[in-house]
Each structure stands twice: as C-alpha cells, then as structure tokens.
Amino acid sequence: MKNRTKYWKTIKVTWLFCTCAILFLALFFAPVFPAFESEGENWFEVSLNGQPVGSCGDVDLVDGLIADARRKLASEDGELVYIPAEVTAEGKEVLFGQVDGRQKLEDAVFSIMQSSVQETLQHAYTIKINEYTVNLGSSQDVLSLLQAVLERYDTEGEYRVELVVDPDRELNVLTTSIVRREEGEKNLRAAGEGAGVEAFFDELFVEVEPDVAMQDFASLDYGLVGIEFGDAVEIVDAYLPESEITSLEDAVSQVTADQQKEQIYEVQAGDTLSQIAEDRGLSIDDLIAINPSLDDENSTIRTGDELIITVPEPELSVIHQERIYTEDSYDAEVEYIDNDSWYTTKSEVRQQPSAGFRKAASVVTYRNDTELSEEVVKEEVVYEAVPKVVERGTKVPPTFIKPISGGRLSSSYGRRSAPTKGASTNHQGVDWATPTGTAVMASCGGTVTRAGWASGYGYVVYIQHEGGRETRYGHLSRVLVSVGEKVEQGEKIALSGNTGRSTGPHLHFELRINGASVNPFQYLQ
C-alpha cells in the first residue's frame, strides 16, 4: 500500500510536468488559428407546398429533387401534368447541425409532388387576334372557328381557310391562307399527280378569265369575288390545363360577336357633332366623353379634324369584295363659265341640267358590314346627262369695315320715327352715338368724290368704290381729305361731330350700290 502511494505521487507529478511542457511548446510553436467568422445561414428546414421535407445544408439540392420528381411523374403516363411547387426554407447559422440524407429528402419531395398533381396538360392551340387570345383543343377546332367567321359573308361556302407557316416569323408560328375551294382541290390533284404530262398541260393552258369590260352584264358573275381576314391571325402549339381550353361553340360566339372598338373619323364638309354621333349610334354625350378636344355639344369642328368614334366590330374582322349590278340615274358635273368682269357674288344659269341613265358593274369592298370603297369595272351609258351650265363672276368684291371703333348703335337702317323735325322717317344708313372728335376711317378703299358741307348731313365725306359702290360719312366735325384723293381701307378721313340736322354727337354711315342705299350691316365684316 505504501509503495502504490509512493508511485502514484511520482506519476501525478510527472503528468503535471508533461502537461505544462506541452502547453508551453504549443504556445510558442503551434500554428495560429483564425477566429470564427460568420458565413450566414448554413442549415435549412425545408417545406414544399406547405408540407415539411426535412433539413439540408443547401436549398438548391431540393430544387434539383423537385425537377427529378417532375420528370418521373410525367413519364409514368406519357402526358404533361401541372404540379405546383412552392418551396419555403427557414435558415439558421450553426456550428454543428444534423441534416437528412439525400434519399430521405428525395422520397419526401416525390411524395409531396405526387399528391400535388392538379391537372393533366393537354395539347392545344392558342389563337391570337390583336390583343384577344383563345385556346382550342385541336387544329380542326381552329379551322372550324375560322371557317365560321368566313361563313357570315361566304354564304355559298366558296372559300376555305388553310393553316400555313407564317413566313415573317422566325419561330414556328402558323397563320391563315384563304383559297377558293375549287383552286384548293385543283392544287391537291396536281400534288397527287406529280409533274406528269397532265400537270404540264394544266399549267400550260391556264384558264384566263376574260376582261370584265369585254363581257356583257348578263355573263358576269355577281356576288362574292374576294375575301380575307382584316386582322392578323397567329396560331401556336401549347400544352395547357383542360380548364384553360375553350369549347368551339364558346370560341365562335366570342370571336364573331360585335365589340365596341375605337376608330378615327375625319370630319367632312357639312358634318355636325349631332349627325356624326347619330350615324354611329352614339349619344352626343358619349362622343364628347371619348374626345378630349370637345368641351360640349357647341364645340367647333372643322373639315379635316379627326374625331375618335366607336363602331361595332367583331374580334376578327373580314374584308370582302362583292361584285354588284346597278341601274341608276346620274347627274353630270356642273360646268362653269368664268366672267372676269363680274363679282364672285353674281352668277346666272345658262343651261338647265337633265339627268342621264346608266348601267354599271362595280366591285364594292367592305370591312364586315361597312363599305370602304367602290370601283366601277364596267359601265354603259344608256343616255347622257346634260350638265348644268353656270356663268359666274371671278372678281372678289370689295370688303367693308365699321368706320369707327366703339360707339353705340343709336339708329338702325330703314323705317323709324323722325328723331327731330325735318329728319327722314326712312333712315338710309346707320348711326353710332360717339363723342365729338372720334376718328372716322374709310370703310373701304376708293376715291373721295365729296368732302365738305351738305345740307342736312353737315360736314360729309363721300367715297366711290369698285362695282358702283359708295360710302357716305355724315355729321362730321372736321374733314381730313380732299375731293379726288385716293384712300385705303382703314385710313383716317375725318372726325365725328354733331353738325347738320342732328340730335347729338354721332356718326351717320351709308352704303349705296348703283345709287340705291342698302343695309350696311349686310356688308360689314
């Protein structure tokens, strides 16, 4: 017992010595280790579609397992399926953490994805027309839809729709081609027969349609002569859930039903806002609401202005040409004889018109039910129209302006009560009350024929103008021009006053044509 105690003490001392020596050596000779630095989240608890998957050190691992599960589920029945996959991960930063093995995570992901299968994706076709799209289940449904649009105007079924690759698109996008059925069948026969002798002669002796102008009216074919879609149509392959595929019946209803679409209308001579609105089935309030340039029903519109209007149009419009036969009376254009010695206000009819009668074959182009243009391709005049012949003046008549600025109308033209003893009851001019000394201007350019005193008028100025016109200015306080002097329109010729037979300061103004007085207000600008 004593020996064991003796050795135990020796061992204890030796152990302490060795430990101190090792610590001493480590302090001076061991490599330096950096301090622990945070690197962010490195352990994640992952859920898929709200269900726990497990823990892992990298979320990207779960993304790869989801992709593997999609491929496996899709290959089981050979169809594309729709499986939502929403991954959520709660991350932490840990020194030590336990993660689940790959197989456990893979099994959990596959189980959740399998239970999340929602719909089988079906092969479908997406049709795009401007901003409108619709999905159909087969190419035959696509053709049936497009054919239904044509049938509204092709009532005899003369044309058919074919799907062709759009040459203007780099990707595999289909578009439409409309052909006559007889031409399509001929092309199919030619393709089946190949480049044999019959095909050679078919091309050599192509049937050439006779010139319409050379045929008689009875031999022409009337009715539909051309048709095409008025909007670009794009068709692409797609894989979609069944819930997103529209039935053919509903698609036809959507595409052919009229929608209110905006168009630009150019204002024509004689148009009014109320008439424009009525012709388009709009209320005047609706027309004003869609046009920021219009304030109210009294807003001014001019020829050439552009207005926004709404017109009923289907999603897919059809441009079609109809050949029609008409018999109608017509008027020849008016013929004019210019007379340089007459004013433009004068005209006389030299020959009365007589309507003519004609037959015509025309091609009318429509967009849906709206006529776009008409081209006469054959016309026969049964008897000529006799034109109306009018002789008209070319000289622009002189213009007249108010001879003073301001003033109050104190006496109008025509019958009146005599304002003072000796005054006329048939007033041959107009009076403006104005202070003495107001500037009086020439109403129109001309030659002064009188400048001075005249009984009853007081001081006056008479000016002779073209076309037998004369203006007179009376009751002046001062005359500033002389007889024979030429004056320009608006030139100062006198000062107003209260001379002659007058009841107060005013200007008396007359306009005479060929010596007879006329109402000046009918000529003043």
Side-chain angles (χ1 to χ4, degrees), residues 98-132:
Q98 183 176 358
V99 296
D100 294 318
R102 179 185 177 89
Q103 187 61 50
K104 180 180 179 182
L105 294 174
E106 183 177 348
D107 292 343
V109 167
F110 183 83
S111 176
I112 296 171
M113 293 287 283
Q114 189 176 40
S115 64
S116 299
V117 174
Q118 290 189 356
E119 291 183 272
T120 299
L121 298 183
Q122 297 185 6
H123 184 215
Y125 293 86
T126 298
I127 304 175
K128 185 175 185 295
I129 307 164
N130 299 322
E131 302 304 317
Y132 169 83

Side-chain angles (χ1 to χ4, degrees), residues 39-98:
E39 297 182 355
E41 298 175 344
N42 57 4
W43 182 89
F44 300 90
E45 188 71 33
V46 182
S47 296
L48 174 60
N49 295 339
Q51 301 182 51
V53 173
S55 57
C56 64
D58 187 357
V59 179
D60 290 342
L61 171 63
V62 176
D63 292 336
L65 295 178
I66 291 173
D68 292 340
R70 284 190 187 279
R71 285 191 290 270
K72 185 176 179 181
L73 290 168
S75 64
E76 288 181 350
D77 54 11
E79 294 184 341
L80 294 178
V81 293
Y82 174 61
I83 310 173
E86 182 179 353
V87 177
T88 57
E90 182 179 350
K92 298 179 181 178
E93 183 179 26
V94 298
L95 290 175
F96 302 100
Q98 183 176 358

Side-chain angles (χ1 to χ4, degrees), residues 178-192:
I178 300 176
V179 298
R180 280 188 177 272
R181 289 189 182 275
E182 57 185 26
E183 292 177 2
E185 292 167 1
K186 181 179 179 180
N187 292 337
L188 289 174
R189 288 197 301 272

Side-chain angles (χ1 to χ4, degrees), residues 313-369:
E313 276 199 352
E315 296 290 357
L316 179 54
S317 292
V318 176
I319 306 293
H320 54 106
Q321 293 82 35
E322 306 275 346
R323 184 179 291 152
I324 62 172
Y325 172 77
T326 57
E327 293 182 356
D328 64 345
S329 299
Y330 73 98
D331 295 319
E333 291 187 4
V334 178
E335 295 181 3
Y336 292 98
I337 301 172
D338 291 336
N339 188 327
D340 295 338
S341 64
W342 289 2
Y343 286 115
T344 55
T345 53
K346 181 178 179 180
S347 64
E348 292 183 7
V349 177
R350 298 304 184 197
Q351 177 176 280
Q352 294 295 336
S354 175
F357 185 77
R358 64 187 172 188
K359 304 175 183 177
S362 305
V363 174
V364 184
T365 301
Y366 299 88
R367 180 181 178 91
N368 303 317
D369 297 320

Side-chain angles (χ1 to χ4, degrees), residues 40-272:
E41 298 175 344
N42 57 4
W43 182 89
F44 300 90
E45 188 71 33
V46 182
S47 296
L48 174 60
N49 295 339
Q51 301 182 51
V53 173
S55 57
C56 64
D58 187 357
V59 179
D60 290 342
L61 171 63
V62 176
D63 292 336
L65 295 178
I66 291 173
D68 292 340
R70 284 190 187 279
R71 285 191 290 270
K72 185 176 179 181
L73 290 168
S75 64
E76 288 181 350
D77 54 11
E79 294 184 341
L80 294 178
V81 293
Y82 174 61
I83 310 173
E86 182 179 353
V87 177
T88 57
E90 182 179 350
K92 298 179 181 178
E93 183 179 26
V94 298
L95 290 175
F96 302 100
Q98 183 176 358
V99 296
D100 294 318
R102 179 185 177 89
Q103 187 61 50
K104 180 180 179 182
L105 294 174
E106 183 177 348
D107 292 343
V109 167
F110 183 83
S111 176
I112 296 171
M113 293 287 283
Q114 189 176 40
S115 64
S116 299
V117 174
Q118 290 189 356
E119 291 183 272
T120 299
L121 298 183
Q122 297 185 6
H123 184 215
Y125 293 86
T126 298
I127 304 175
K128 185 175 185 295
I129 307 164
N130 299 322
E131 302 304 317
Y132 169 83
T133 59
V134 63
N135 305 311
L136 294 175
S138 69
S139 59
Q140 186 55 51
D141 280 356
V142 173
L143 289 170
S144 297
L145 168 63
L146 298 173
Q147 199 68 43
V149 175
L150 285 190
E151 286 173 357
R152 180 174 178 180
Y153 305 101
D154 180 19
T155 56
E156 301 297 324
E158 300 177 60
Y159 293 82
R160 74 177 183 190
V161 183
E162 295 180 352
L163 301 183
V164 296
V165 176
D166 189 341
D168 298 326
R169 300 293 296 272
E170 294 182 4
L171 301 177
N172 188 26
V173 177
L174 298 178
T175 188
T176 58
S177 174
I178 300 176
V179 298
R180 280 188 177 272
R181 289 189 182 275
E182 57 185 26
E183 292 177 2
E185 292 167 1
K186 181 179 179 180
N187 292 337
L188 289 174
R189 288 197 301 272
E193 293 164 359
V197 176
E198 292 186 17
F200 171 78
F201 282 106
D202 282 344
E203 286 200 25
L204 184 63
F205 299 107
V206 173
E207 181 181 356
V208 179
E209 183 180 354
D211 185 357
V212 171
M214 301 300 293
Q215 302 179 68
D216 58 41
F217 288 105
S219 63
L220 289 175
D221 291 330
Y222 297 100
L224 187 66
V225 294
I227 193 167
E228 61 182 330
F229 290 127
D231 301 287
V233 181
E234 298 177 342
I235 304 117
V236 295
D237 281 323
Y239 283 90
L240 302 168
E242 185 176 359
S243 60
E244 295 183 16
I245 298 176
T246 304
S247 69
L248 176 59
E249 181 180 357
D250 289 344
V252 170
S253 176
Q254 293 174 19
V255 173
T256 58
D258 283 342
Q259 313 290 332
Q260 290 297 327
K261 297 186 178 182
E262 289 188 353
Q263 287 188 0
I264 299 298
Y265 174 74
E266 183 175 321
V267 175
Q268 306 297 312
D271 277 347
T272 63

Side-chain angles (χ1 to χ4, degrees), residues 13-49:
V13 170
T14 302
W15 181 82
L16 290 173
F17 177 80
C18 291
T19 300
C20 291
I22 291 170
L23 291 174
F24 178 79
L25 292 173
L27 180 63
F28 290 97
F29 300 103
V32 177
F33 292 97
F36 173 76
E37 294 183 3
S38 174
E39 297 182 355
E41 298 175 344
N42 57 4
W43 182 89
F44 300 90
E45 188 71 33
V46 182
S47 296
L48 174 60
N49 295 339

